[in-house]
Amino acid sequence: MNTIWVNRLIAGDRLWSDVPVSRKNAVKEILAQRAVDGVISEDMYVMIVGENREVNRNG
């Protein structure tokens, strides 16, 4: 179900505020991974979630 939310968010069919609180962390992790993998841009991630992705700068 988390992947379905991700796909809906990317397609623009749903908004971040529509995602149930119980799913937000998992959906955010999937979106972050898609940004890392280049499936979506960092800008799209910010547009969907409303905040910058936390990047591990220690290695």
Side-chain angles (χ1 to χ4, degrees):
M1 190 65 178
N2 296 332
T3 302
I4 293 170
W5 276 106
V6 169
N7 292 337
R8 288 178 174 175
L9 291 165
I10 291 171
D13 295 337
R14 296 291 181 166
L15 301 174
W16 183 247
S17 59
D18 297 330
V19 179
V21 173
S22 62
R23 296 200 177 270
K24 283 194 176 192
N25 286 338
V27 170
K28 190 184 286 189
E29 287 180 20
I30 295 169
L31 285 167
Q33 187 59 52
R34 290 196 182 181
V36 167
D37 294 343
V39 176
I40 63 172
S41 67
E42 291 291 332
D43 289 340
M44 180 175 258
Y45 176 89
V46 171
M47 185 178 71
I48 292 170
V49 179
E51 60 187 43
N52 288 326
R53 189 171 60 84
E54 291 189 26
V55 178
N56 182 355
R57 300 187 196 286
N58 294 329

